[in-house]
Structure formats: structure tokens, C-alpha cells
Amino acid sequence: MATNGAGRPRPRGSGFELYSWLFMRISGVLMLIFLLGHLYIMHIINSVEVVNYNFVAARWGTPLWRTWDLILLLLAALHGSNGLRILIDDYIHSHGWRVVALAVLYVLAIGFILGGSLVLFTFQPVAS
Amino acid sequence: MKVKLRIKRFNPQKDRKPYWQEFEVEAEKTDRVLDALHQIRWYQDGTLGFRRSCAHGICGSDAMLINGKNRLACKALFADLGDYVTVEPLRGLPVLKDLIVDMEPFFAAYRAVKPYLINNDQPPLKERLQSPEERARFDDTTKCILCAACTTSCPSFWVNRDYLGPAAIVNAHRFIFDSRDQAAEERLDILASRDGVWRCRTIFNCTDACPRGIQVTKAIEEVKRAIMYAKV
């Protein structure tokens, strides 16, 4: 048992964790608005029966709804993956496994964001 | 009344794993768990290991897990606990023997936040003056006795021993908000690191566990806010 009065090594400081913490709070509140709005439009104003390809295609005809969905996609993907990153930091102690888990997480998160953005930006309605 | 104590025992020289042992002692309702531990150690089994110093709730030596909650054995009455009481060592710190844990990781985290007055001005001839309001700002966190009940009740600390833990943050809070201290920025830098305040998930176990009634979670949140206002 070392009791020589020495402190532990000075913790690594950086502003990243502060902004990550702040982002979780702000994105949480924003998602509450955007997600509830989304649910309200898709399930309460419009009955589920009318939500089909044409409905979505018409909705995405306006930049407003594409932006709405892009914001929702970014907030959800970043909020979720940042939460998982913190869990991995907490629970996976072996350095090797932590690197593996974080790599998988980052690939998935970037994949979801890129895939979703690709559809949002390049979607062209086809009459059916 | 007769009281049964179920104690988690471990002797690193003999046992490969901790095991439970039951003891029966005669105790009053007004007796404390510490009195029962004394009965056992003095009259039944001298090998029972536990720490205590002042035995009156101020030295912080005898924090342990009593009926599933971190308490000081010298403040836990049988009147509140009933006649069947389980006693375990604090969680999240290595057990040295029976109810004695290695406190060194806890104190290392404490030392890391520089828990002492830093003021580079010429010392005044008399005391360093402070208004009652300035003193009240950090009054709550001066009450800490470093018993480790908060830190070892924190699930974030259980899974991640690199986390500085509630007690270290409470003691940093005590100086960060002290008008006589000049190193608040340095401490906020330390606490803004990966293993500082951001590991807190506001679970409130620390506030529940504190035998001094310190609003630990509130203190941690105040430090988070101070870091945020300083940097954003």
C-alpha cells in the first residue's frame, strides 16, 4: 500500500468532455421537440394508413421536412453514439477491447449518418 | 435484545474467497452496530478486522455497508436497523481483511484535487477575512470527514476506478468556492478532465450515503456549472 503522499498522475484535461456533456443535454431537449413533432405528424394528424411512399415523397418535396429529418437524424445518431461511447469508456477496461468497441461504434455511427444523409440529399420522387 | 449480525469475512492469508459468518450478541435498541462489532471482537472472535478511531461519527474510519447501505457503524442504531443486520466492507475498494478496505485509491483521488488553501498573496497580519455570505457559499462541503461512504456508493466509481469520485469533488468544491482561495481555475481544469465531474450520472447514491448530510450531488452539479460558465 503506497502511502507516500504522492498524488495520482494529473488527470488529462480537455474541453471535449464538457462539450460532450453539454451536447447531450441540448440534443436531448431538442430531440424532445423534434421527435414529438415527428410522432404527432406521422401518427396523430395523419392516420398510419395514409403514410406510404407517396406521402413521404410529397413531404420530402419541401426543403423544410428534409431539414427537419436531417436534424433528427444527426441528433439521434450523435446523441446515441456519444452515450454508447461513454458506456464503453466506463465498462470496457481492457485497452484492446476498448479500441475494438469504439472502432465498431464509430464505423456504425458514421455509416448511419452518411447513409441517412445520402438518402435525404439525393432522393428524387418517382411517380408510382 | 438478541441481535444477529451477518458479517462478510475475508482473510487474504487463509481464504480464497470472502464468506459470510453469523454472530449473535446481546444489545440494546440504543446500541450502535459498532458496539456489537466490539462485543464480537472483544469477547467472541478476536480475529474480526474493522477500523474505528473516535467512535463518535467524526473521524470517518468506520464507514461500511450496513444492511445494504453505506453508513458509519458508530451512527447506525439497532433501533433503526432491526435485530438482523448484515455488515460488509465498502464496495469498490480492495478488501484488505474483513471490513477493512485499502483507502489509498480514495485518498490518491482526494490529493489530486489539491484539497488545501492556495493563496500566493502576502499573508495578512491577522486572519484572512471573509463575509458570512462568502463563508456560507461552501459551508456544506466543509462538513466532509473523508469516510468514503459517498465514493464507494457510486455506481460510476464501481465500474470505473479512474473516476475521481464524489468525495474528491466535494473537497475541491470546498476550495473552488472559497473567496480566500486563488486556485479555483486549476482545480476546475483537473475536474474538467475525462475522469472528473463528467463521469457523474446524477444517481444520488452519494447524497443518500453521506453520514454528514452533505448535498453531494448538488455540489458536483455546482462544479459542472462552474466549469461550463468558465469555458463556454
Side-chain angles (χ1 to χ4, degrees):
Chain A
M1 189 177 18
T3 45
N4 55 6
R8 47 192 253 170
R10 193 194 158 108
R12 281 178 292 157
S14 92
F16 179 73
E17 291 295 330
L18 162 65
Y19 292 107
S20 140
W21 177 82
L22 204 56
F23 169 76
M24 291 307 257
R25 265 119 202 103
I26 295 170
S27 60
V29 174
L30 285 179
M31 268 200 290
L32 213 59
I33 301 165
F34 279 88
L35 268 176
L36 287 178
H38 178 84
L39 282 175
Y40 187 65
I41 293 163
M42 301 300 266
H43 297 279
I44 294 176
I45 297 187
N46 300 291
S47 138
V48 195
E49 283 94 59
V50 304
V51 176
N52 55 18
Y53 176 84
N54 288 326
F55 179 88
V56 176
R59 203 161 164 262
W60 276 8
T62 59
L64 168 76
W65 294 114
R66 287 205 195 206
T67 317
W68 179 294
D69 283 356
L70 183 67
I71 291 172
L72 205 49
L73 168 73
L74 286 176
L75 286 179
L78 291 175
H79 186 98
S81 47
N82 193 34
L84 283 172
R85 176 187 71 86
I86 293 166
L87 284 179
I88 288 169
D89 259 4
D90 266 355
Y91 286 91
I92 303 183
H93 299 288
S94 124
H95 182 72
W97 282 115
R98 188 183 282 189
V99 171
V100 171
L102 286 174
V104 171
L105 172 69
Y106 292 152
V107 168
L108 281 178
I110 293 170
F112 275 124
I113 293 173
L114 285 184
S117 314
L118 189 73
V119 175
L120 274 162
F121 283 115
T122 61
F123 176 77
Q124 299 288 344
V126 228
S128 63
Chain B
M1 64 180 193
K2 279 250 183 281
V3 187
K4 243 193 198 147
L5 271 89
R6 187 165 179 258
I7 300 177
K8 203 175 216 176
R9 306 284 313 263
F10 177 66
N11 178 350
Q13 292 180 329
K14 275 179 23 203
D15 311 322
R16 289 187 51 222
K17 272 188 350 195
Y19 63 96
W20 290 98
Q21 190 178 359
E22 283 196 353
F23 295 93
E24 212 173 54
V25 291
E26 193 62 45
E28 300 293 323
K29 269 189 173 342
T30 48
D31 276 344
R32 309 155 304 165
V33 170
L34 183 65
D35 299 311
L37 291 176
H38 281 152
Q39 288 295 314
I40 294 167
R41 186 179 159 86
W42 293 339
Y43 303 110
Q44 295 186 28
D45 182 351
T47 68
L48 178 68
F50 60 90
R51 281 198 187 100
R52 74 102 170 83
S53 301
C54 79
H56 290 83
I58 203 62
C59 72
S61 298
D62 65 351
M64 47 189 81
L65 195 63
I66 298 169
N67 277 359
K69 224 185 126 184
N70 278 356
R71 310 169 211 244
L72 298 180
C74 56
K75 282 179 86 174
L77 300 179
F78 287 108
D80 305 321
L81 296 166
D83 55 5
Y84 186 75
V85 175
T86 61
V87 185
E88 301 164 65
L90 293 173
R91 287 184 184 142
L93 292 170
V95 175
L96 296 177
K97 182 175 186 269
D98 296 337
L99 303 171
I100 302 173
V101 294
D102 180 4
M103 297 281 280
E104 184 45 31
F106 173 81
F107 285 120
Y110 170 64
R111 288 192 295 269
V113 302
K114 304 183 181 268
Y116 39 81
L117 183 84
I118 301 176
N119 187 325
N120 296 319
D121 293 344
Q122 190 72 24
L125 289 173
K126 286 185 179 172
E127 64 270 59
R128 297 177 198 273
L129 288 177
Q130 189 170 47
S131 73
E133 292 74 32
E134 285 169 334
R135 176 62 178 72
R137 180 65 190 87
F138 60 94
D139 184 66
D140 200 38
T141 44
T142 62
K143 296 188 290 192
C144 177
I145 56 173
L146 294 173
C147 67
C150 58
T151 295
T152 58
S153 73
C154 172
S156 294
F157 178 77
W158 294 339
V159 296
N160 188 343
R161 312 279 164 90
D162 292 332
Y163 174 33
L164 286 168
I169 301 172
V170 158
N171 284 280
H173 179 285
R174 184 248 168 274
F175 288 100
I176 288 169
F177 294 101
D178 187 337
S179 58
R180 298 163 297 186
D181 188 273
Q182 295 175 338
E185 211 176 308
E186 198 180 334
R187 291 195 193 89
L188 290 177
D189 252 8
I190 295 169
L191 292 176
S193 74
R194 230 184 62 167
D195 300 318
V197 288
W198 313 119
R199 292 257 164 252
C200 165
R201 313 269 186 271
T202 50
I203 297 165
F204 279 90
N205 271 16
C206 50
T207 306
D208 278 346
C210 181
R212 306 280 294 150
I214 299 172
Q215 300 294 307
V216 183
T217 312
K218 185 174 173 228
I220 298 175
E221 289 304 301
E222 284 176 359
V223 172
K224 283 180 188 169
R225 235 169 284 154
I227 293 172
M228 190 177 74
Y229 291 139
K231 296 206 171 175
V232 181

